[in-house]
Amino acid sequence: MNQVNRYLIASAIFLGLLVSSSFGAGKVLLIGSGAPDAKDAPLIDKLKKWGFSVDPHGH
């Protein structure tokens, strides 16, 4: 994964966490192919450990 993709993903995660925390929903939307990809599993596990529910959606 190149540096630009990492920056975009990190920005999307930060924005999702910021929005989730400000509304108190505790839910993060994972935008991608619709089904979680195997490479997304570590991210999903980390978010779930932090108490968020992860909802995958297609782009």
Side-chain angles (χ1 to χ4, degrees):
M1 188 176 343
N2 66 28
Q3 190 67 25
V4 173
N5 285 344
R6 287 182 183 173
Y7 175 75
L8 290 174
I9 290 171
S11 297
I13 291 169
F14 177 73
L15 180 61
L17 292 174
L18 181 66
V19 170
S20 294
S21 65
S22 59
F23 288 110
K27 183 183 236 182
V28 175
L29 298 177
L30 180 64
I31 308 299
S33 63
D37 206 355
K39 62 185 174 190
D40 295 330
L43 172 63
I44 292 170
D45 290 341
K46 176 75 82 175
L47 290 170
K48 286 183 177 181
K49 285 180 185 176
W50 289 345
F52 292 96
S53 65
V54 179
D55 193 11
H57 286 275
H59 56 317

